[in-house]
Amino acid sequence: MISVDVVIVGAGIIGCSTAFELSKSGLKIEVIEKHQPGAMGSGWTLAGVRQSGRHYAEIPLAKYSVDKWSCLNEILDHRTNYKQEGNLRLARNTAEDKIIQNLVKEQKKNGLEIEYLKNTNEISEICPSISENVISASYCPTDGHADPIDTLRAYKEAAQKNGVIFTNNEEVLEISEKGSKIEYVRTSKRKIFPKFCVLANGIFCNNVLKSIGKIIPIEIPIVTVIQTEKTNPLLKPVIGVANASLAMRQENNGCFRISSGFQTWKGKIKTKNDMPYVETNLEEIKNTITQSIEIIPQLKKSSIKSFWGGLIDLTPDALPVIDHLSDCEGLIVASGFSGHGFGIAPAVGGIVSDLVLNKKTRLPIDPFSFHRFQNHLISKKKSDLTLHG
Ligand SMILES: Cc1cc2nc3c(=O)[nH]c(=O)nc-3n(C[C@H](O)[C@H](O)[C@H](O)COP(=O)(O)OP(=O)(O)OC[C@H]3O[C@@H](n4cnc5c(N)ncnc54)[C@H](O)[C@@H]3O)c2cc1C
């Protein structure tokens, strides 16, 4: 019988940051990953690190995380390629301008350092490559971006140094409970008897939760991502737009990552070399390219390096579930990040580690409770805060 105190399901950014935070506790920890670290959301991501444009409930997590991001290279002793170069959210017409003005007003009330740029001149001072067709923007100078694969590797290697075991190509299939406690975790290869199990398995959270008769009512839309070949330095801040139909950033190496808005998805997850992928379509690629050239005309000359589809674990209120399950002792859920979990991963890892160690969580988690979806009174109205990037 293998003896492990904590099983973490999924080696995405949430599983890896949790593993690192917990690795200092002296508990024996194993992260079990169906494919490879970063195989899904945390590899498909744009990797913006933003506080702006978030629901007020997430702002404390985002602020806490930004403080951590500034010293994450030193904490993890590994580069993350984090750059605090700001976030611009753009308005391309008067309807979008209203959205931006409201967003700035609301977010200032919530204590965020954010300003309204009221014309092209003000926007050009921050980012000269942006087209004159953009009429206004919000600007949060303390937002930024990082490299997702470097960050994941940084968290993973730091956790490994502290003794965490990472196991790839193994799927957690079931949690069995006995007397309202975890009895065992069954994987595609074995049974494990941990005291705690953390579900950080993104869009597949329900595959495991259903074994104890629970679900989180997520939808799974798709986002199309295009990566260009290297171009000249054109963009420092991460760009979003008021109606959330586009986001982009220029990576450290000069390539652009450009992502579309959410689209309904009814496809299948395929695998190649044991890595999952989802197909997107030419229309979304064309639409995303057209919008990006309208914003940065110099992109017209860029070549496409790659493109992919990314799936989102979207909850009804676009907020994650970060909670322990009161009726299954030892089970903790950290899923449903709704397209904006990358930036807040440092805070989430800390909070989940507090939950495992039965400490008061370092930040409030009431808005992220598991039970908020467990009655039949869930509003049919969808959150309009489905921004990413
Ligand atoms: C295109 C796109 C753009 C985005 N842009 C941003 C952004 O700019 N800023 C931001 O903050 N967020 C962004 N996000 C969201 C962010 O990337 C995700 O919220 C975050 O990466 C989710 O991390 P995770 O660890 O919860 O899930 P994942 O990274 O999906 O990790 C879950 C892991 O669990 C594994 N797994 C699943 N089931 C099992 C099982 N049964 N057993 C074992 N392993 C299992 C999977 O293989 C996977 O590796 C974006 C997402 C996408 C798709």
Side-chain angles (χ1 to χ4, degrees):
M1 191 187 297
I2 294 171
S3 157
V4 175
D5 299 310
V6 188
V7 164
I8 298 175
V9 186
I13 188 84
I14 299 298
C16 291
S17 64
T18 299
F20 170 70
E21 290 294 337
L22 268 177
S23 67
K24 302 167 242 170
S25 67
L27 293 171
K28 189 155 186 210
I29 300 154
E30 181 169 358
V31 181
I32 302 182
E33 165 56 51
K34 183 176 171 184
H35 301 283
Q36 301 285 323
M40 301 192 87
S42 305
W44 295 328
T45 188
L46 189 80
V49 174
R50 71 177 160 84
Q51 308 144 97
S52 60
R54 283 189 185 267
H55 189 286
Y56 66 90
E58 275 186 0
I59 288 183
L61 278 65
K63 281 184 160 176
Y64 177 97
S65 295
V66 164
D67 284 348
K68 283 269 176 207
W69 276 105
S70 331
C71 46
L72 211 51
N73 289 346
E74 289 74 39
I75 295 174
L76 302 176
D77 193 23
H78 200 297
R79 70 165 198 274
T80 60
N81 267 315
Y82 170 67
K83 295 267 159 67
Q84 194 169 45
E85 294 179 323
N87 182 297
L88 277 172
R89 193 164 299 279
L90 311 176
R92 298 162 291 184
N93 52 49
T94 46
E96 289 191 351
D97 177 52
K98 262 194 194 141
I99 297 175
I100 294 295
Q101 290 200 38
N102 282 339
L103 184 126
V104 171
K105 214 165 42 186
E106 281 306 308
Q107 305 237 282
K108 270 192 173 161
K109 260 196 242 163
N110 288 315
L112 200 64
E113 185 189 352
I114 187 166
E115 50 182 301
Y116 174 64
L117 307 179
K118 60 181 179 308
N119 55 40
T120 312
N121 287 347
E122 290 187 1
I123 298 169
S124 288
E125 276 174 29
I126 310 287
C127 186
S129 57
I130 289 185
S131 154
E132 288 180 359
N133 296 331
V134 174
I135 62 172
S136 65
S138 64
Y139 178 55
C140 178
T142 51
D143 284 349
H145 55 109
D147 184 90
I149 298 305
D150 283 343
T151 305
L152 209 67
R153 194 175 296 137
Y155 267 124
K156 178 173 172 262
E157 288 181 7
Q160 275 173 318
K161 261 190 208 158
N162 291 342
V164 175
I165 302 162
F166 280 79
T167 306
N168 296 333
N169 303 310
E170 182 168 340
E171 182 176 2
V172 170
L173 300 173
E174 180 200 359
I175 294 169
S176 172
E177 54 176 342
K178 196 174 181 184
S180 303
K181 274 188 182 171
I182 297 176
E183 184 192 13
Y184 60 81
V185 170
R186 186 169 64 83
T187 77
S188 47
K189 299 188 176 158
R190 59 198 157 123
K191 263 187 194 177
I192 311 168
F193 295 81
K195 290 192 199 76
F196 303 96
C197 177
V198 177
L199 286 186
N201 57 335
I203 61 160
F204 286 134
C205 54
N206 288 328
N207 288 10
V208 183
L209 273 174
K210 71 182 182 206
S211 62
I212 55 156
K214 308 278 184 201
I215 62 153
I216 302 171
I218 54 167
E219 281 179 34
I220 305 184
I222 185 170
V223 170
T224 294
V225 185
I226 297 151
Q227 191 178 35
T228 69
E229 293 287 359
K230 292 174 190 175
T231 72
N232 299 331
L234 290 173
L235 183 65
K236 285 191 168 176
V238 177
I239 299 289
V241 291
N243 74 352
S245 64
L246 186 83
M248 60 175 145
R249 71 179 180 94
Q250 188 164 21
E251 297 171 307
N252 226 17
N253 59 10
C255 301
F256 270 72
R257 254 182 207 225
I258 308 168
S259 62
S260 73
F262 293 0
Q263 308 294 326
T264 306
W265 177 72
K266 291 198 168 65
K268 277 211 164 96
I269 298 179
K270 301 185 172 177
T271 47
K272 194 174 178 183
N273 302 328
D274 198 35
M275 287 293 269
Y277 73 95
V278 277
E279 287 169 350
T280 180
N281 62 53
L282 289 182
E283 196 181 0
E284 262 321 296
I285 293 174
K286 180 180 132 207
N287 183 17
T288 308
I289 292 173
T290 306
Q291 288 193 72
S292 59
I293 292 173
E294 278 166 10
I295 289 173
I296 302 196
Q298 282 148 286
L299 276 176
K300 216 185 275 179
K301 301 279 177 222
S302 306
S303 310
I304 296 181
K305 181 180 179 189
S306 179
F307 58 86
W308 59 87
L311 300 176
I312 305 283
D313 45 355
L314 180 62
T315 66
D317 56 10
L319 292 176
V321 173
I322 312 170
D323 201 1
H324 51 66
L325 265 69
S326 48
D327 40 5
C328 181
E329 201 183 311
L331 180 58
I332 290 149
V333 178
S335 298
F337 285 89
S338 301
H340 38 257
F342 181 79
I344 56 173
V348 177
I351 290 170
V352 176
S353 121
D354 295 338
L355 288 171
V356 170
L357 301 174
N358 200 21
K359 289 185 184 162
K360 181 176 169 2
T361 56
R362 61 196 68 196
L363 294 163
I365 56 166
D366 290 349
F368 315 122
S369 85
F370 180 80
H371 292 282
R372 76 190 191 274
F373 300 131
Q374 306 308 307
N375 61 44
H376 298 288
L377 300 172
I378 298 167
S379 161
K380 286 262 183 275
K381 185 184 172 298
K382 294 258 160 50
S383 162
D384 50 11
L385 269 162
T386 47
L387 301 170
H388 65 285

